[in-house]
Amino acid sequence: MALVTTTEMFKKAYDGGYAIGAFNVNNMEIVQGITEAAGELNSPVILQVSKGARAYANHTYLVKLVEAAVAENPDIPIALHLDHGDSFELCKSCIDGGFTSVMIDASSKPFEENIAITKQVVEYAHAHGAVVEAELGTLAGVEDEVVVEAGQESYTRPEEVAEFVDKTGCDSLAIAIGTSHGAYKFTAAQCTRNEKGILVPPPLRFDVLKECIDMIPGFPIVLHGSSSVPQDFVKIINENGGQMPDAIGIPEDQLREAAKLAVCKINIDSDIRLAMTAVMRQYFNENPSHFDPRQYLKPARQAVKDMVAHKIVNVLGSNGKA
């Protein structure tokens, strides 16, 4: 099976009440861990590349790694997606370079300008067999070069989504309902603390999500910034020399609920980074004489695989849906 667009996988996900995992990739071990888990669980999957990842690993290397994953997993649909493209030129470069899906993020622009930029990308993408994700509303947090200070984020306005989708022709829409980029998704002031003193984030705005669904019934919705920041990994990192106080993410039960509605794509990046970092920090402490990268990257790859398998089964519900 060659790389596919997200069109068919989103239609099946919408009708089936589950979501497709969109996992950020930066190197071989991450690509392998994600696709091995998806292959064994017979799940469709989206491998997404940010502008920062492209700068780090080189476009050609990443595309070839994904092509290798497709060859090794011929029975599952795999899409290659640009995450947070910030210009027409970047989106065009990725489409020309083999991506089957791109995101144009003009959410920081005025509404009409967002429409104009998105429409330009859509016209080029559709003419070249690719699909487009757009965004309305802005998420707080940090992801590569996307930086929005807490308090500067804005929820998606449901009254705008129908006009936006109609005028742009985009294929899916990322909305802001309280998710956030990075491992520090909320400030302590935004949260409460439970009896163990652990931060509890504010709930997602399902009212906004449901209003958006009413405005664009049947249309695939995307959630960015949806890592859950597992506290066991944060604990391992901190016990092995790390400094990550009060890192907090999105509760997985809320994401599963969103997946049962119109959310067809859920983006997960920080959880992969945390899993790899926790395993590697622990490995270095326990094996101070080791220096072969294969020794510590092997358990790191397994940690990615285990993390993705957990998400597919317990959060996304996409297992057995390839």
Side-chain angles (χ1 to χ4, degrees):
M1 184 184 294
L3 282 168
V4 301
T5 69
T6 56
T7 302
E8 186 65 20
M9 60 173 73
F10 283 174
K11 183 180 185 306
K12 290 180 178 178
Y14 195 106
D15 293 341
Y18 62 91
I20 312 298
F23 301 96
N24 287 68
V25 298
N26 297 279
N27 62 15
M28 182 185 77
E29 287 76 16
I30 295 175
V31 171
Q32 289 175 326
I34 294 167
T35 54
E36 285 176 14
E40 291 177 13
L41 290 168
N42 197 34
S43 170
V45 70
I46 299 166
L47 302 179
Q48 57 184 27
V49 173
S50 67
K51 182 179 179 181
R54 203 163 171 256
Y56 166 75
N58 181 289
H59 174 99
T60 303
Y61 280 104
L62 288 170
V63 170
K64 294 304 180 184
L65 285 171
V66 171
E67 289 176 353
V70 171
E72 290 294 314
N73 298 274
D75 298 324
I76 62 169
I78 299 175
L80 176 56
H81 175 74
L82 169 66
D83 188 26
H84 284 289
D86 60 1
S87 68
F88 170 80
E89 290 73 23
L90 175 58
C91 292
K92 178 181 182 298
S93 176
C94 288
I95 293 166
D96 293 345
F99 283 52
T100 56
S101 174
V102 296
M103 181 207 183
I104 176 63
D105 182 4
S107 59
S108 63
K109 309 290 186 184
F111 183 67
E112 293 298 335
E113 188 175 350
N114 188 354
I115 288 175
I117 294 170
T118 301
K119 183 177 180 181
Q120 182 186 20
V121 174
V122 167
E123 289 173 348
Y124 188 84
H126 287 181
H128 293 81
V131 294
V132 178
E133 173 189 323
E135 182 168 343
L136 270 179
T138 54
L139 276 64
V142 178
E143 182 181 14
D144 287 345
E145 297 177 12
V146 181
V147 180
V148 178
E149 297 293 336
Q152 299 302 309
E153 71 275 17
S154 61
Y155 292 115
T156 299
R157 298 174 63 187
E159 65 270 19
E160 294 180 341
V161 298
E163 179 185 357
F164 184 86
V165 168
D166 180 62
K167 288 185 174 180
T168 63
C170 64
D171 301 281
S172 60
L173 183 67
I175 65 171
I177 61 169
T179 55
S180 177
H181 292 129
Y184 297 90
K185 298 185 182 296
F186 307 98
T187 65
Q190 293 174 293
C191 304
T192 57
R193 290 188 184 270
N194 64 17
E195 65 281 358
K196 297 180 180 179
I198 298 172
L199 291 176
V200 178
L204 297 181
R205 289 289 302 274
F206 279 94
D207 58 326
V208 174
L209 172 58
K210 290 174 181 177
E211 285 185 56
C212 289
I213 294 170
D214 289 341
M215 294 294 179
I216 46 174
F219 194 81
I221 290 174
V222 175
L223 289 187
H224 283 239
S226 296
S227 284
S228 297
V229 189
Q231 293 302 297
D232 52 345
F233 285 129
V234 174
K235 184 172 184 288
I236 292 171
I237 289 170
N238 289 336
E239 288 174 347
N240 287 274
Q243 296 181 5
M244 295 191 68
D246 290 342
I248 192 73
I250 309 298
E252 290 185 336
D253 60 336
Q254 294 188 39
L255 296 173
R256 184 70 193 99
E257 185 62 29
K260 292 177 182 177
L261 300 171
V263 173
C264 297
K265 174 176 179 275
I266 293 180
N267 288 14
I268 298 167
D269 183 12
S270 294
D271 285 354
I272 289 175
R273 300 183 187 197
L274 289 166
M276 292 188 78
T277 298
V279 167
M280 290 172 70
R281 278 190 174 275
Q282 188 172 46
Y283 187 93
F284 288 138
N285 267 356
E286 294 175 353
N287 302 277
S289 66
H290 289 188
F291 63 92
D292 185 343
R294 293 171 297 185
Q295 292 174 309
Y296 51 83
L297 287 175
K298 185 175 180 180
R301 178 175 59 194
Q302 184 64 45
V304 172
K305 182 177 178 179
D306 293 343
M307 168 65 70
V308 171
H310 165 75
K311 297 291 185 180
I312 287 172
V313 173
N314 298 298
V315 179
L316 304 163
S318 62
N319 49 305
K321 302 296 196 288

